[in-house]
Structure formats: C-alpha cells, structure tokens
C-alpha cells in the first residue's frame, strides 16, 4: 500500500489526474469504477480542465462503485454529479458509460449490474475484475456504500448488494468488497479534516479498525494507493 500526501484538495486533484492519465495511456478497454459523493467534484473539474483533450476517453469504460437509488436527474445521483463535473466536458462515447439505473427497483438493479460486470469485465476466480476502482471514505469509515452497520455486505455472495444509508435510510446499489479487492488497482481519494480520525484509525491499524469497511480494502493482487490532503492526513505521523 502507498500513501501519497498533498497540501490541499486541488493538489490531490492535480496529482490524481496526472496519475490517471498515465494509467490509461495506450490502454484500450480500461474499466474503471468511479466513486460518488462530493470529493470527486473538484477532482473531476480538474481532470476535465487539464486532461480533457489529453486522454483518449473512448478507451475508457466508466462504471460506479455505488449509486443512490434515485433517478439520474436527481441531485443525489452520482451519475448526475459525474455528468455535471466530467462527462459534460469531455468527449466520452455514451456507450462507454455504464450507469447504475438508480430509478429501477434496487433488487432488480443490483442483479442487472452484477450481470453487466460479469459480462463486461474479465473475471478472476469468478469475480469481475476492474482495472481501477476509485473509492472515497465517509466520516464513519464506510466506502462505496458498504456502511459499518451493514459490514456483513462486504463479503456478500452477490457481487452487487443493496445497502442502506444509516441516517437517511436511502437505498443504494454497491459493489461488494470481493469485487473491490479483486481490482488490479484501488485508489482512495480522501480529503478534508472530517476524515482525519478514521484515516488515523485505519491507516494506523488502531484497535478495532477492522470494524470500518474502508479498512477491509486490501486488494488481493492489486495495488492500493491513498491520495490524501494534509487535512485528512493530519492524524498520521
Ligand atoms: C457515495 C460514495 C461514498 C463516498 C463517501 C465520501 O455514493 O456517497 O460513493 O462512498 O465516497 O461517502 O463522500 P464525500 O466525498 O462526500 O465525503
């Protein structure tokens, strides 16, 4: 595992954008699972502005590690956030965008998406393998939409699960931990002082750290890198 620390969120965005551009260079059919929430907004803004005309977007297939069970027009939608901050500014073929259909029945959609991953991605020991999974981390230590109160979903038999956001009760479709850990590479993008306690607990392997789903991200073969700004890394040595 590698930890990369940057002075602020813009520096994280710039470093990650350069890293992604290098990772996808001369690769066709690069399958990446995007994270949602608010952290990616600035990162996608920088990626679009500084690499919009430098990356061959038609070589990349976009998926989501998790999506809220809302229509694609809803401000809560990770797909809508990605359109607003990235897809509306780059030349990505629409057939390369594989959104979770948040407007569908969650159970049916979890099954459909799991099947889509099994068809579109290579499989390693039966588990769909992404080239890259991008993750955020909640203040509570969740990642994708696997929350501490439902940590048993991490090892669920289904590759895509239905999760429940603990405060709002909002339903979400999420890939499970088995799919995350089968990826060739996993990158955490974590910024802001609200994350520093959990970053310290998880990266410091403090007592009970494995009760947080973000701590269970340990790619079996793949590379794991944490991109942190100094606010999020403040609790580390
Ligand atoms: C989501 C995300 C989720 C997110 C964390 C961090 O759908 O919300 O996929 O896992 O990455 O909750 O969210 P922020 O970036 O908003 O802090």
């Amino acid at each position: 595992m590698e930890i990369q620390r940057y002075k602020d969120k813009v520096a994280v965005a710039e470093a990650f954008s350069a890293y992604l551009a290098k990772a996808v260079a001369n690769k066709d059919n690069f399958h990446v699972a995007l994270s949602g929430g608010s952290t990616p907004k600035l990162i996608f803004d920088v990626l679009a502005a500084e690499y919009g005309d430098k990356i061959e977007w038609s070589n990349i297939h976009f998926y989501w590690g998790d999506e809220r069970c809302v229509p694609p027009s809803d401000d809560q939608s990770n797909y809508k956030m990605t359109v607003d901050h990235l897809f509306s500014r780059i030349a990505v073929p629409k057939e390369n965008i594989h959104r979770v259909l948040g407007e569908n029945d969650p159970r049916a959609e979890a099954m459909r998406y799991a099947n889509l991953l099994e068809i579109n991605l290579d499989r390693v020991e039966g588990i769909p393998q992404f080239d890259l999974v991008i993750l955020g981390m909640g203040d509570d230590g969740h990642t994708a939409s696997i929350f501490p109160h439902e940590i048993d979903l991490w090892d669920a038999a289904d590759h895509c699960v239905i999760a429940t956001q603990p405060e709002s009760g909002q339903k979400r479709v999420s890939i499970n931990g088995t799919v995350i850990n089968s990826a060739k590479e996993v990158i955490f993008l974590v910024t802001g002082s609200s994350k520093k306690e959990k970053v310290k607990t998880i990266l410091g392997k403090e007592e009970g750290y494995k009760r947080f789903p973000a701590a269970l991200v340990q790619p079996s073969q793949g590379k794991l890198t944490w991109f942190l700004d100094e606010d999020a890394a403040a609790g580390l040595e």
Side-chain angles (χ1 to χ4, degrees):
M1 173 178 67
E2 186 185 356
I3 298 170
Q4 296 189 16
R5 298 171 65 154
Y6 296 92
K7 65 178 169 52
D8 58 24
K9 193 169 178 178
V10 171
V12 167
E14 287 169 349
F16 170 74
S17 297
Y19 187 95
L20 181 69
K22 190 159 176 263
V24 303
N26 311 313
K27 297 251 178 63
D28 52 6
N29 284 325
F30 189 89
H31 299 277
V32 57
L34 301 175
S35 59
S38 55
T39 299
K41 292 177 179 176
L42 175 64
I43 293 172
F44 290 165
D45 290 344
V46 170
L47 182 61
E50 299 188 11
Y51 289 88
D53 58 358
K54 297 187 178 76
I55 290 176
E56 184 46 69
W57 300 101
S58 61
N59 289 341
I60 306 172
H61 285 263
F62 293 95
Y63 305 79
W64 279 263
D66 66 315
E67 179 61 279
R68 291 83 181 275
C69 293
V70 296
S73 55
D74 190 302
D75 282 342
Q76 276 283 314
S77 164
N78 288 332
Y79 165 76
K80 180 181 184 294
M81 180 274 290
T82 311
V83 171
D84 291 347
H85 292 272
L86 182 59
F87 292 158
S88 56
R89 304 169 179 172
I90 62 174
V92 56
K94 62 181 184 317
E95 58 271 19
N96 285 38
I97 298 170
H98 309 280
R99 73 178 180 91
V100 178
L101 305 180
E103 65 273 31
N104 280 3
D105 165 72
R107 187 164 306 283
E109 183 56 18
M111 286 173 63
R112 186 196 73 85
Y113 210 66
N115 290 333
L116 176 78
L117 297 185
E118 283 157 21
I119 291 165
N120 286 14
L121 306 184
D122 290 339
R123 273 179 274 172
V124 175
E125 294 171 18
I127 310 298
Q129 182 182 54
F130 282 104
D131 292 293
L132 173 62
V133 171
I134 301 168
L135 295 172
M137 184 190 72
D139 301 356
D140 62 357
H142 81 260
T143 193
S145 277
I146 311 291
F147 294 91
H149 76 294
E150 292 178 323
I151 198 158
D152 56 317
L153 291 177
W154 186 262
D155 295 314
D158 297 322
H159 296 146
C160 290
V161 294
I162 303 161
T164 305
Q165 207 287 343
E167 275 86 49
S168 65
Q170 182 187 65
K171 293 297 179 190
R172 305 208 178 160
V173 172
S174 178
I175 59 176
N176 74 358
T178 312
V179 173
I180 290 170
N181 283 334
S182 84
K184 291 179 183 171
E185 181 161 17
V186 180
I187 287 176
F188 269 107
L189 300 173
V190 179
T191 61
S193 54
S194 70
K195 316 290 181 168
K196 73 178 175 188
E197 285 309 313
K198 290 294 180 299
V199 165
K200 176 175 180 293
T201 300
I202 291 169
L203 293 184
K205 296 187 176 177
E206 293 178 352
E207 200 268 330
Y209 76 106
K210 289 211 167 176
R211 66 180 184 276
F212 305 114
L216 304 182
V217 177
Q218 294 160 1
S220 43
Q221 310 292 329
K223 185 177 172 194
L224 172 60
T225 307
W226 288 69
F227 281 69
L228 303 171
D229 68 354
E230 283 309 326
D231 284 345
L236 302 179
E237 266 85 57

